[in-house]
Amino acid sequence: MTRADLLALTPDALAALANRGLVKRATKDLDAGQGPEVGVDGDGAVHGVFPDGTRAALPPGAGLEAATCSCAATSLCRHRICLVLAYQRTAATESGTETGTETGAEPAAAWSPGAFDDEALARVLGQRAVTAARRAFRAGYTARIHRPSGDDPVARVELPSCTVRFLVPDELGYVDTDAAAAVRGEVVVLAAWAFRAADAQGADGADVRVEVGGGPGRAAGDGTGLEAALDLAGQVLMEGAAHAGPVLAAALRRTGADLAARDLHWPAAAVDELARQLDAHRERRADYAPERLAALLAELHARDRAASAPPGSGVPRSYVLGTEESADTPLRRVRLTALGCRVGGTAESRTADVYLAHADTVLVLRRHWAVPEGAPLTGADVAGRRVLGVGLRALAAANVVSESATRSASRVVRVSAGRVARTTVTPLGEAWASLPPALLVRDLEAHEREMDAWPPRLVRPRVEAETVRVVEIAEVRDIGYHPGAQRLEAVIADAAGATAVLSAEYAPHRPAALDVLAAALADGPRFVSGAVRRERGGLVVDPFAVLASGGPVVPDLMPGDGTAELAAPPAPAPDPLGAVLDTALAACAEIAHRGLRHLPPGLNDRVARAGDDLARTGLHAAAGTLARLAAALTGDDPRAAVRAWADACVRLTVTAELR
């Protein structure tokens, strides 16, 4: 009897179920003639006896976790892995095929984990796992489905707090997940149900997002739960940041806490950030920006409108509101690849965000320090501070293996303080070159097409590092510094000649970053990591690290005073469309800053002129929203003015993003 499940296990799948070291050791033993004598029983059980007398067995209808071995190992051992490899070689010899070729197993693309019924899930994973999963199902959750394909034969589900991979078709015994053992069964059930929902909806694309479970729907007039937040946002818009007092900011914080308690996590985060913007203006802090204030107000209106849409008519409600966000998920042994660091903060505190690639996602490890009075505490000052047992500069360009990590749905990762000894940090090496295609951008045009399919930023989940990628560089062109904006820009090209703009801004807590970045870009860089966004009709990368000929460079953590001479940039290409959008958005931001009740003379005319300019460039829908806003500003209906402002700002923000 041929065991198709064992024949379908590739070396990568075995490494996922155990670890790559065990697979290499087992392969070496087998090549050296130290493999087992393989036998197969009539029921499909595979057993083997090794030269030293060790006995291992692989029972039928179960995965590697059910395998037994007479050695002293308490978990998967090299003997069990070696028995799988030996069985594969024996089967290949008997069938006359080479090891690793097709052996008659069903094509990976011909199956779906949604085919597992609840009885099968309970039989393999336990009834407790199914019961726990039903609680999450009743609340509703969003999942991203990756169906098997020729390039990637593994069925995969990205849940809010972990990833689940079905390594062998039609077998539940060979499922890999980064969730810890305590919740493994539950997340596998949720992943299978996500495929089931996608199958029922006819969502047969290779990469689709589905909303699973939740209530039967909302009755007419139920609302979205954002009514109190929208009322406060309206008050902010009426008074403006320039006139809003501390009472309004405190009310926003209370409302944000209430939204979070009701699992409306993404609008709660927007409300909290809105309160911080008001605090920043009142305290005259540099992190206040009228454009950011306007974007937050527009985001709350956009999320409310998207969540109000009938089910199935747009972006899933749980995706917009964050209701699927779960508690922190403990991870089993994980390998993380550092992608650099961003240093930020305020006059009172300093933050360092280390970006870590994990499977197809990017996680953020965050550290905070208080700024001593009278001391600047720059990125270079915190670069030597120990995080996970090593200096921050070393960690930001390293490989990390941990058994004590916890991941949140917003992709923040933490390591238990008392278990740092179970975390190892090694040099980065060539790890960036082997990142999965979801994180490594080799074709800029293909990545731009992928971003075109994303929902607008105003309604996407507020997860950390959503757009962080590593971009392979074939050529660097036109490095230049804009002194007025204090911004360094360079044009980078991929192997096909497609380009993106690398854009980094000066900040006093990372004074040498632009100088170091310019030197790294002149040193034959192979890769750059950073946040990729769409802007000015193309891709713009905010860089975190550069892999140059001399190794990885993390500009934010390097010493220096920022006094190097930087070349001037070439003359920018004319961008009339971008100019009129920027002018219109600036007018909206000015209204949010000053307040509808305190508008200066002439601002209404400025809005009308911006609308005329939009119409002349062909953006008639956006121009119409500004015309209605200009009319509302001269009326006596405050609610109508708030609605008109929201219509205009949402439309302009999405247009600028998707242009």
Side-chain angles (χ1 to χ4, degrees):
M1 177 179 178
T2 302
R3 289 280 299 274
D5 59 334
L6 298 182
L7 297 179
L9 286 171
T10 64
D12 286 340
L14 286 171
L17 294 170
N19 63 66
R20 198 163 297 279
L22 278 181
V23 177
K24 290 182 178 179
R25 175 71 184 277
T27 303
K28 184 177 180 180
D29 287 349
L30 195 58
D31 292 340
Q34 300 300 311
E37 182 179 339
V38 179
V40 183
D41 295 338
D43 62 355
V46 177
H47 51 82
V49 180
F50 288 79
D52 62 359
T54 301
R55 296 177 177 272
L58 302 167
L64 286 183
E65 292 183 351
T68 60
C69 184
S70 62
C71 74
T74 58
S75 59
L76 279 179
C77 61
R78 61 185 174 88
H79 299 105
R80 282 171 264 203
I81 301 297
C82 191
L83 178 56
V84 174
L85 297 174
Y87 175 78
Q88 291 177 341
R89 293 190 183 186
T90 300
T93 300
E94 291 176 352
S95 63
T97 63
E98 294 293 330
T99 302
T101 61
E102 293 295 329
T103 55
E106 285 293 318
W111 84 289
S112 166
F116 295 119
D117 59 25
D118 287 358
E119 182 179 349
L121 294 170
R123 183 172 61 252
V124 176
L125 302 169
Q127 185 59 47
R128 179 175 295 182
V130 177
T131 301
R134 285 199 179 108
R135 290 193 292 269
F137 181 87
R138 286 193 292 270
Y141 61 97
T142 299
R144 188 176 180 184
I145 304 297
H146 300 266
R147 295 190 181 275
S149 65
D151 295 332
D152 185 0
V154 175
R156 186 172 77 252
V157 178
E158 293 180 22
L159 295 171
S161 59
C162 68
T163 301
V164 179
R165 303 169 71 235
F166 297 87
L167 301 174
V168 176
D170 303 312
E171 292 287 347
L172 275 173
Y174 303 95
V175 180
D176 172 50
T177 175
D178 45 26
V183 295
R184 178 183 183 276
E186 177 184 348
V187 299
V188 173
V189 173
L190 293 174
W193 287 349
F195 261 104
R196 188 186 299 175
D199 296 341
Q201 297 170 17
D204 55 0
D207 185 350
V208 297
R209 190 181 299 273
V210 294
E211 188 171 19
V212 188
R218 304 182 306 281
D222 276 355
T224 62
L226 303 185
E227 291 77 17
L230 288 176
D231 181 63
L232 289 174
Q235 294 182 44
V236 172
L237 188 58
M238 293 301 299
E239 297 299 329
H243 303 92
V247 174
L248 187 51
L252 284 167
R253 281 189 285 272
R254 287 194 301 271
T255 300
D258 177 65
L259 292 172
R262 291 187 285 125
D263 293 334
L264 303 175
H265 296 287
W266 307 145
V271 169
D272 286 343
E273 189 178 350
L274 182 58
R276 292 196 299 272
Q277 279 289 303
L278 296 184
D279 291 340
H281 179 270
R282 188 175 63 256
E283 297 165 7
R284 300 297 187 263
R285 299 204 312 258
D287 52 327
Y288 169 74
E291 297 79 10
R292 186 59 190 155
L293 177 80
L296 291 167
L297 293 170
E299 178 182 342
L300 287 171
H301 285 276
R303 290 190 186 277
D304 178 70
R305 296 175 183 187
S308 300
S313 63
V315 181
R317 176 184 170 93
S318 62
Y319 179 90
V320 172
L321 300 180
T323 54
E324 81 280 10
E325 183 173 355
S326 61
D328 291 346
T329 300
L331 305 177
R332 64 181 179 87
R333 191 171 189 266
V334 292
R335 180 183 178 90
L336 308 170
T337 301
L339 305 181
C341 178
R342 170 48 41 91
V343 174
T346 66
E348 294 78 25
S349 67
R350 189 68 61 241
T351 62
D353 290 349
V354 179
Y355 298 94
L356 300 162
H358 175 225
D360 290 342
T361 61
V362 178
L363 309 179
V364 179
L365 179 68
R366 180 164 293 154
R367 288 292 184 268
H368 299 264
W369 297 277
V371 177
E373 187 174 354
L377 197 66
T378 66
D381 296 326
V382 301
R385 301 202 176 187
R386 298 184 73 79
V387 180
L388 305 189
V390 299
L392 177 61
R393 184 183 290 119
L395 178 67
N399 291 305
V400 180
V401 177
S402 178
E403 297 179 5
S404 57
T406 299
R407 164 184 163 169
S408 75
S410 58
R411 297 182 187 172
V412 173
V413 64
R414 289 181 290 275
V415 177
S416 301
R419 303 174 66 188
V420 173
R422 302 183 67 180
T423 299
T424 59
V425 179
T426 57
L428 183 66
E430 296 295 317
W432 283 10
S434 58
L435 287 171
L439 299 182
L440 179 56
V441 178
R442 287 192 161 100
D443 185 335
L444 290 167
E445 290 185 347
H447 187 65
E448 188 168 9
R449 289 193 297 271
E450 177 187 338
M451 295 184 75
D452 286 341
W454 294 0
R457 183 176 62 252
L458 290 179
V459 297
R460 289 205 300 268
R462 277 180 151 252
V463 296
E464 305 288 344
E466 176 194 23
T467 64
V468 174
R469 299 290 186 273
V470 170
V471 179
E472 187 172 37
I473 299 175
E475 182 185 1
V476 178
R477 310 171 184 167
D478 299 334
I479 303 175
Y481 176 67
H482 298 263
Q486 292 187 300
R487 185 174 65 244
L488 180 74
E489 289 192 347
V491 176
I492 58 174
D494 62 17
T499 61
V501 175
L502 204 67
S503 179
E505 293 187 355
Y506 172 83
H509 39 263
R510 45 179 190 266
L514 300 189
D515 298 351
V516 172
L517 177 62
L521 292 175
D523 188 28
R526 299 168 52 204
F527 300 98
V528 62
S529 69
V532 183
R533 66 183 186 274
R534 284 175 295 186
E535 190 176 292
R536 313 176 206 172
L539 295 181
V540 178
V541 183
D542 181 10
F544 301 148
V546 178
L547 188 59
S549 60
V553 177
V554 184
D556 283 20
L557 301 177
M558 300 302 289
D561 54 11
T563 58
E565 290 290 335
L566 298 175
D575 183 15
L577 183 60
V580 296
L581 283 170
D582 289 345
T583 299
L585 283 168
C588 288
E590 182 75 5
I591 292 172
H593 171 72
R594 294 182 178 274
L596 289 168
R597 287 197 177 103
H598 310 280
L599 295 182
L603 188 52
N604 190 23
D605 292 339
R606 178 178 164 189
V607 170
R609 286 196 302 273
D612 293 341
D613 291 341
L614 287 168
R616 280 193 291 272
T617 59
L619 297 176
H620 297 290
T625 63
L626 280 186
R628 290 188 288 275
L629 174 58
L633 293 179
T634 60
D636 56 0
D637 186 346
R639 291 184 177 274
V642 169
R643 286 195 302 271
W645 182 92
D647 290 344
C649 198
V650 169
R651 166 73 69 172
L652 291 167
T653 301
V654 175
T655 302
E657 179 186 1
L658 304 180
R659 48 177 292 198

